[in-house]
Amino acid sequence: NAGVMQNPRHLVRRRGQEARLRCSPMKGHSHVYWYRQLPEEGLKFMVYLQKENIIDESGMPKERFSAEFPKEGPSILRIQQVVRGDSAAYFCASSATGGRLAEAFFGQGTRLTVV
Amino acid sequence: QKEVEQNSGPLSVPEGAIASLNCTYSDRGSQSFFWYRQYSGKSPELIMSIYSNGDKEDGRFTAQLNKASQYVSLLIRDSQPSDSATYLCAVRAGTYKYIFGTGTRLKVLA
């Protein structure tokens, strides 16, 4: 039973390019959460999506960042015109439901480096 | 005030001792509480979830929840060097996103 799959594991982009991070949730999971983590810091919530819906995007910058979770295919976190400050580890988690008892499981993360 | 607060540590305990990790949260409406373990350079791994006041035990781990005091803790019995990691407390409320503390770094000394 495959866990949460993220790709790529490592991504290098030049300033001004676009970064696309993909997350395939665990089988049977329809809720996806994206987090950003800087070295020696905690996980910062970015966005919470259910299939075809954004439930909460309060942690995602309004400019340059967007996320989607289409009916078919993985969830995508898109960062346009990347800057050095976007360099971080981006983690995706998924849960089976959005209910109170739901447990979230994390993927291995994408390490984004902006040069 | 941060939504979820943890002492960053490091918390150092000798091998075989009990490690006690603490977490407080600000939202009284929080309903679900989780502990994750994260090794350096790796992704967070779910250890325990707790939803009701009291204790919940799973092997060497015990989670304790006190909603009145807005406090959740994790006890690790018979600590091993392999337990050395950062422990993240997470709380779920509102739209049911998971809000994480900054983590407590645990060092178990052999």
Side-chain angles (χ1 to χ4, degrees):
Chain A
N1 184 17
V4 180
M5 303 299 292
Q6 289 189 250
N7 67 82
R9 293 288 304 276
H10 300 274
L11 182 61
V12 179
R13 283 287 176 265
R14 296 186 184 278
R15 280 178 294 169
Q17 290 185 319
E18 178 179 287
R20 282 192 179 222
L21 287 61
R22 295 175 187 77
C23 170
S24 295
M26 284 179 70
K27 186 176 181 181
H29 286 195
S30 59
H31 296 253
V32 164
Y33 315 81
W34 285 94
Y35 291 84
R36 182 163 93 166
Q37 188 174 42
L38 293 169
E40 306 303 320
E41 293 190 12
L43 290 160
K44 300 293 186 189
F45 169 78
M46 298 183 73
V47 61
Y48 166 24
L49 310 104
Q50 193 183 356
K51 281 285 188 181
E52 300 185 276
N53 291 305
I54 295 176
I55 306 299
D56 186 328
E57 56 182 348
S58 59
M60 196 159 65
K62 294 286 188 283
E63 296 183 1
R64 302 189 299 109
F65 287 75
S66 62
E68 63 176 4
F69 189 15
K71 187 176 180 181
E72 302 291 338
S75 175
I76 306 286
L77 178 67
R78 183 183 178 203
I79 311 173
Q80 295 178 288
Q81 299 178 312
V82 296
V83 300
R84 288 234 170 95
D86 296 331
S87 295
Y90 291 83
F91 289 101
C92 158
S94 73
S95 65
T97 72
R100 185 175 74 90
L101 304 183
E103 294 177 332
F105 299 90
F106 280 83
Q108 293 302 303
T110 294
R111 271 77 179 171
L112 173 65
T113 302
V114 179
V115 297
Chain B
Q1 182 187 10
K2 289 183 180 177
E3 293 179 86
V4 180
E5 294 210 50
Q6 298 180 254
N7 188 321
S8 60
L11 171 67
S12 295
V13 300
E15 184 175 357
I18 296 176
S20 177
L21 304 159
N22 305 315
C23 172
T24 58
Y25 59 94
S26 59
D27 186 348
R28 282 198 171 275
S30 300
Q31 299 186 20
S32 314
F33 308 86
F34 308 86
W35 283 99
Y36 286 80
R37 177 176 62 197
Q38 187 176 27
Y39 292 110
S40 181
K42 302 295 185 182
S43 62
E45 173 192 8
L46 180 64
I47 300 175
M48 296 277 290
S49 57
I50 186 166
Y51 310 103
S52 304
N53 280 329
D55 295 0
K56 179 182 177 183
E57 187 174 318
D58 183 0
R60 295 188 296 114
F61 299 99
T62 298
Q64 299 174 316
L65 174 61
N66 183 326
K67 290 185 178 180
S69 300
Q70 295 175 244
Y71 176 91
V72 58
S73 66
L74 179 70
L75 301 178
I76 307 175
R77 287 182 299 282
D78 188 24
S79 295
Q80 301 298 309
S82 58
D83 294 326
S84 298
T86 297
Y87 289 80
L88 302 168
C89 171
V91 171
R92 202 154 188 246
T95 57
Y96 289 138
K97 63 193 178 195
Y98 298 83
I99 301 297
F100 285 80
T102 52
T104 298
R105 194 153 55 99
L106 173 66
K107 288 185 177 180
V108 180
L109 308 172

